[in-house]
Amino acid sequence: MQNHIPERISNIRSWLKENQLDALIVPHEDEYLGEYLPAHNERLQWITGFTGSAGVAVITQEHASIFVDGRYTVQVTKQVPDSIFEYHHLIEEPFLDWIIDHLSPNSKVGFDPRLHRSIWVTHTQQTLSGKLTLCPLQDNPIDLLWQDRPVPFYSKMWFMDTKLSGQSSEDKRQAIAEVLRKKQAHCALLTQTDSICWLLNIRGQDISCLPVLLSYAIIYEDATVDFFIDPQRVINGFEQHVGPGVNICPPVTLEASLANLKGKQVLFDPATCNAWFSLTLQNAGVSTLHVVDPCMLPKAAKNASEVSGMQACHIRDGAAMAKFLSWLDQEVAQGNMHNEAALSDQLARFRQEDPTLLDFSFDTISAAGSNAAMCHYNHLNQITPGQLTPDSFYLVDSGGQYTDGTTDITRTVAIGTPSSLMKQQFTLVLKGHIALASARFPQGTSGHQLDALARQHLWAHGYDFDHGTGHGVGHCLNVHEGPQRISKAPNTVALLPGMVVSNEPGYYRAEQFGIRIENLELVVPVDTEGDFDVLGFESLTRCPIDLRAIDFSLLTDAEIQWLNTYHQKVWNDVSPLVSGMVREWLQQATQPVSQS
């Protein structure tokens, strides 16, 4: 791909000159602003060669730079030619600062408003005011120049049965309509694909790892919905499935539909809607009320049916993990030190034995030895995948999209005999994991108030990890679901019963090893004798934690009891699904540990 990049940059610069612009911003986003992009929307990759999930390129007549976060500082140097692009850290060296430094006053900076959040454009216009002019583009030059652009892939729609969703689309729409009426809004604009699929109890596979249909919607105060999707994609039985009041609208009618809202109060989420929507509404004279996507919170707080599905799919996913980890131990014992790609492929095969598996929930992180020190390492981006080595750690972070739920699990596995330092660090991470899993907290507590529980034991020794402790997870939807999260960054969203969050503290020693232990946790009410409502966590994940990597002298009796109780649950739930050598391995891996 690098062979084509000089010509592409040259063509972009010619386009800039023709359109009297001084720079172009190219983010790793598409018009849906989702975490995953379909191949035909990988514009940043086309212009730079970079395949990571987060980054921004800025191209001027004289310079070009690419900005990535700490996950990709090594990868970017291997994929993006330094003869054309300068490398910068996305957080430490913000690209807006770079633009200001490299352009003369009153320069014009082009951007595609479909690829930027409305809130970002508002902030950026304020930042650049009096310095540079931010110019929204009608047409994206990459789309004009990309001759061999992949054809968009559109999957088949399928219905999420009420037995799995726990609530009909009609009931969901009535509940959202009640929110609109309370806020005196005529309608709400929905642009998050997972919100739309949740609301209508439908799913698809338009994007790898995310079971959604690329679409937009407007829900009105009377609970009717305009659903903007190609009518040919709507399958038989749709009206009966969703109930009356859902109107199928061709996507080409979207702009006119927005203009028809003139004089109405429209609920609009500037953090999730792209700037094209805000500009279109503004130009049409539509009044907007900036409020969080009204589907986000009820989608995050799973009902009883959704919880049941999440519990069931985690048990089946645990059986696939047990098969894989048992196989891995046998292979290592026989001296078969596989590479990261072979390991990832084998895990995929075990998951694919489950007929309810739709897709993986993200690209598997299969990291051997020192590669695991890069917390979001991807072996697919390496010329030669890493290989298992004796007396090391192997980290595997993976998950599945099942018809009844979504999984995400990380296990760090001892290959041979880990050093005392490795066992110490693994145990400090485990202690943090247990502390968070055991937490009890009053209703109204948000995730950032719990974050220190997972870090306290690492902090006590002068260590930390540079990523969030937990993210929300959807029900057969986005594996990274908001609005809840557990991290250092302040977050005012209170944890609610039915929410699912990950619990994934870690430790990463550069050039040596990486450790992460991740379970998904369900927020549940806890019975107490006190005066206020208390919540806690119930672990959904069913997979052993490697006993060989633990320094038990560092664990308290209470922590050992937690480990034994957790492993008993794993055995009880997973053992009926496996047999033979896998069952024998599972029994050994979940054996109780003696307390001091």
Side-chain angles (χ1 to χ4, degrees):
M1 178 180 286
Q2 287 195 3
N3 295 335
H4 301 289
I5 292 175
E7 179 183 359
R8 293 172 182 176
I9 294 294
S10 177
N11 290 336
I12 288 291
R13 285 175 169 153
S14 296
W15 183 91
L16 287 172
K17 188 174 182 180
E18 291 170 6
N19 289 270
Q20 299 180 331
L21 293 170
D22 300 289
L24 174 68
I25 300 173
V26 185
H28 186 262
E29 297 283 7
D30 69 358
E31 57 267 40
Y32 299 97
L33 301 178
E35 180 178 4
Y36 302 108
L37 272 61
H40 71 278
N41 284 342
E42 287 283 2
R43 297 177 178 91
L44 182 64
Q45 180 179 339
W46 183 84
I47 196 63
T48 67
F50 176 65
T51 63
S53 64
V56 178
V58 180
I59 302 162
T60 74
Q61 289 292 349
E62 303 295 333
H63 303 280
S65 283
I66 184 166
F67 301 78
V68 299
D69 63 30
R71 294 173 293 173
Y72 300 115
T73 52
V74 175
Q75 179 180 325
V76 71
T77 63
K78 296 180 179 180
Q79 294 183 323
V80 180
D82 60 5
S83 59
I84 299 176
F85 286 91
E86 299 173 5
Y87 310 132
H88 296 276
H89 194 288
L90 187 62
I91 309 302
E92 297 171 1
E93 305 171 89
F95 67 90
L96 287 181
D97 292 350
W98 185 93
I99 291 174
I100 293 171
D101 290 342
H102 284 76
L103 294 180
S104 58
N106 302 317
S107 293
K108 296 180 179 180
V109 180
F111 77 102
D112 186 339
R114 294 172 178 81
L115 311 186
H116 296 268
R117 299 176 192 279
S118 175
I119 194 171
W120 178 88
V121 174
T122 301
H123 167 75
T124 302
Q125 287 174 331
Q126 294 171 351
T127 301
L128 298 181
S129 179
K131 302 173 184 176
L132 304 169
T133 302
L134 199 61
C135 302
L137 305 175
Q138 288 289 335
D139 298 304
N140 190 308
I142 292 177
D143 296 352
L144 300 174
L145 297 168
W146 194 349
Q147 298 299 319
D148 57 347
R149 188 177 183 184
V151 176
F153 170 75
Y154 295 118
S155 63
K156 185 177 180 180
M157 175 188 295
W158 60 275
F159 300 145
M160 175 69 77
D161 191 273
T162 307
K163 292 179 181 178
L164 295 175
S165 68
Q167 188 179 20
S168 70
S169 172
E170 212 167 349
D171 288 345
K172 289 180 179 180
R173 288 185 280 120
Q174 289 292 347
I176 300 299
E178 179 62 25
V179 173
L180 298 181
R181 292 191 289 268
K182 286 182 179 179
K183 294 186 177 295
Q184 298 182 326
H186 173 66
C187 61
L189 178 60
L190 303 179
T191 62
Q192 295 191 99
T193 54
D194 58 332
S195 287
I196 297 167
C197 288
W198 171 85
L199 182 67
L200 300 179
N201 284 340
I202 57 176
R203 299 291 191 271
Q205 287 182 277
D206 285 2
I207 306 175
S208 176
C209 301
L210 182 58
V212 297
L213 299 157
L214 295 176
S215 57
Y216 297 114
I218 301 173
I219 180 169
Y220 297 89
E221 59 186 338
D222 63 357
T224 61
V225 168
D226 289 341
F227 182 32
F228 296 89
I229 192 169
D230 185 342
Q232 295 183 356
R233 304 192 62 196
V234 178
I235 61 176
N236 292 334
F238 178 82
E239 185 175 348
Q240 293 80 359
H241 176 70
V242 299
V246 178
N247 309 306
I248 303 301
C249 306
V252 294
T253 66
L254 176 60
E255 188 167 1
S257 296
L258 296 176
N260 289 336
L261 297 175
K262 184 176 182 179
K264 306 293 185 181
Q265 181 88 312
V266 177
L267 193 153
F268 174 85
D269 186 348
T272 61
C273 285
N274 72 51
W276 178 87
F277 283 102
S278 57
L279 292 172
T280 301
L281 292 170
Q282 180 182 333
N283 293 338
V286 177
S287 175
T288 56
L289 181 64
H290 289 183
V291 177
V292 171
D293 178 339
C295 296
M296 192 175 291
L297 205 57
K299 172 167 58 68
K302 314 294 185 286
N303 60 43
S305 296
E306 292 171 319
V307 167
S308 178
M310 292 291 276
Q311 291 169 331
C313 75
H314 275 82
I315 292 173
R316 300 195 308 275
D317 196 74
M321 286 296 300
K323 292 175 184 178
F324 171 70
L325 294 175
S326 169
W327 171 86
L328 176 59
D329 274 5
Q330 292 176 48
E331 292 294 296
V332 170
Q334 295 170 12
N336 298 323
M337 295 294 192
H338 295 284
N339 68 35
E340 296 158 339
L343 295 169
S344 176
D345 291 345
Q346 183 61 54
L347 175 55
R349 284 190 283 271
F350 284 127
R351 275 203 172 93
Q352 288 165 339
E353 291 177 2
D354 188 332
T356 68
L357 182 76
L358 300 168
D359 198 352
F360 307 116
S361 52
F362 54 95
D363 288 339
T364 296
I365 297 173
S366 176
S370 61
N371 288 339
M374 296 178 275
C375 62
H376 289 88
Y377 171 81
N378 189 337
H379 67 274
L380 298 175
N381 296 326
Q382 309 305 311
I383 297 175
T384 304
Q387 195 158 348
L388 296 178
T389 56
D391 305 331
S392 67
F393 277 149
Y394 168 63
L395 185 152
V396 57
D397 186 350
S398 64
Q401 293 285 8
Y402 298 89
T403 54
D404 52 353
T406 302
T407 68
D408 182 1
I409 172 176
T410 308
R411 286 296 181 263
T412 304
V413 183
I415 306 299
T417 304
S419 68
S420 58
L421 172 65
M422 295 164 68
K423 293 180 72 171
Q424 171 189 289
Q425 298 307 105
F426 184 97
T427 308
L428 294 178
V429 171
L430 176 60
K431 288 169 72 72
H433 180 97
I434 294 172
L436 183 58
S438 306
R440 298 292 180 263
F441 45 93
Q443 196 150 12
T445 300
S446 57
H448 84 272
Q449 293 173 292
L450 302 178
D451 182 73
L453 294 176
R455 300 179 190 268
Q456 59 180 313
H457 300 287
L458 286 164
W459 283 351
H461 290 260
Y463 304 116
D464 201 359
F465 53 94
D466 189 20
H467 58 73
T469 299
H471 56 82
V473 178
H475 173 251
C476 189
L477 280 173
N478 202 329
V479 73
H480 298 133
E481 178 182 81
Q484 76 277 18
R485 67 174 183 268
I486 302 173
S487 70
K488 292 179 181 179
N491 178 11
T492 59
V493 177
L495 296 173
L496 299 174
M499 283 183 170
V500 175
V501 293
S502 65
N503 172 2
E504 50 181 308
Y507 174 74
Y508 311 91
R509 180 162 288 225
E511 307 299 329
Q512 294 188 41
F513 57 86
I515 300 163
R516 188 160 63 252
I517 303 170
E518 177 187 19
N519 281 359
L520 296 192
E521 311 282 357
L522 173 69
V523 181
V524 295
V526 176
D527 291 332
T528 68
E529 55 190 26
D531 299 326
F532 57 83
D533 293 332
V534 174
L535 301 176
F537 293 121
E538 173 190 304
S539 296
L540 292 171
T541 306
R542 293 291 186 264
C543 180
I545 295 168
D546 197 338
L547 299 174
R548 300 165 301 184
I550 301 173
D551 181 346
F552 290 101
S553 69
L554 299 178
L555 294 184
T556 65
D557 285 353
E559 290 165 340
I560 291 175
Q561 181 59 48
W562 180 94
L563 187 64
N564 287 340
T565 300
Y566 174 71
H567 277 162
Q568 187 62 52
K569 292 177 181 177
V570 173
W571 169 255
N572 291 344
D573 290 340
V574 176
S575 63
L577 302 184
V578 296
S579 60
M581 296 182 66
V582 178
R583 186 181 176 89
E584 292 176 11
W585 175 90
L586 184 65
Q587 185 173 28
Q588 182 70 19
T590 58
Q591 64 179 330
V593 178
S594 299
Q595 295 176 255
S596 58

